[in-house]
Amino acid sequence: GNYTGRTPRLSTVSGAGTGTLATTQTLIAKGFMRYKFAQWPSSVTVSVGILVHNDRFLIGRRPPGVRLAGLWEFPGGKLEPGEDARACVVREMREELGLDVQVEGALAVIAHDDADLTVTLHPFLCRIAGGNAPPPVIQPRANSELRWVTARELEDYPFPRANAPLLASVRGILEGTAVSNRGGATAEEV
């Protein structure tokens, strides 16, 4: 179905038993969730790489069986304990994409409260280290699919709600009005 990251009503999940354990096991088996509710954090901090190459941005589709499955996102991942947000995005790009990137600048941090999770996004504008060759073909490791898209094409892909301010910033990069953590730097300064 059209899973949006929220727990489906039990009446819509066929075979859901009664009781918390039976329900959790059924939801896990049917791919609606990976972990029991008690294992989900109430907040998460993520570094996001806005990878730009030849005026295109790299986006990935979230794989089945994870929160917000099927939606699109910029690559990135959770900060590890004690890790700096900038170092995290470099590590995640290497782990998820097999790419070494150069961080060009930081965009404004985004905090988003959902019903059961607070997400803090640390977005960074990145470029592939060492070149202007055509966008490389990248085998997805953490996403089910990857695409290089223009800023205008981003509107054709459904992203999580937490990404709305980030998408506006990406459009602002092209228009020279992006807000960064360095006091409103424009695309030329970032």
Side-chain angles (χ1 to χ4, degrees), residues 91-133:
R91 175 184 55 77
E92 287 288 342
M93 294 293 201
R94 189 173 298 122
E95 288 177 5
E96 287 187 14
L97 306 172
L99 290 177
D100 288 322
V101 298
Q102 177 180 341
V103 176
E104 300 279 321
L107 298 176
V109 174
I110 299 165
H112 176 79
D113 289 319
D114 221 348
D116 59 347
L117 183 68
T118 299
V119 178
T120 304
L121 301 175
H122 291 265
F124 293 92
L125 187 62
C126 301
R127 297 202 185 274
I128 297 171
N132 288 324

Side-chain angles (χ1 to χ4, degrees), residues 52-168:
V52 183
H53 192 75
N54 295 338
D55 297 326
R56 293 187 174 267
F57 300 91
L58 185 67
I59 60 172
R61 185 188 300 252
R62 294 181 61 79
V66 301
R67 184 180 181 91
L68 305 173
L71 296 180
W72 292 82
E73 65 184 358
F74 294 102
K78 296 177 198 164
L79 272 73
E80 294 183 356
E83 186 176 31
D84 172 76
R86 184 178 292 255
C88 176
V89 79
V90 171
R91 175 184 55 77
E92 287 288 342
M93 294 293 201
R94 189 173 298 122
E95 288 177 5
E96 287 187 14
L97 306 172
L99 290 177
D100 288 322
V101 298
Q102 177 180 341
V103 176
E104 300 279 321
L107 298 176
V109 174
I110 299 165
H112 176 79
D113 289 319
D114 221 348
D116 59 347
L117 183 68
T118 299
V119 178
T120 304
L121 301 175
H122 291 265
F124 293 92
L125 187 62
C126 301
R127 297 202 185 274
I128 297 171
N132 288 324
V137 175
I138 303 166
Q139 294 300 316
R141 296 180 185 177
N143 295 98
S144 62
E145 183 179 353
L146 295 169
R147 291 194 184 160
W148 288 100
V149 299
T150 66
R152 292 192 204 292
E153 291 170 331
L154 285 171
E155 297 172 7
D156 299 333
Y157 296 87
F159 279 74
R161 284 190 306 258
N163 282 242
L166 183 53
L167 293 167

Side-chain angles (χ1 to χ4, degrees), residues 7-20 22-24 26-27 37:
T7 304
R9 290 193 343 234
L10 294 181
S11 60
T12 65
V13 179
S14 63
T18 58
T20 304
T23 301
T24 300
T26 301
L27 292 173
F37 291 112

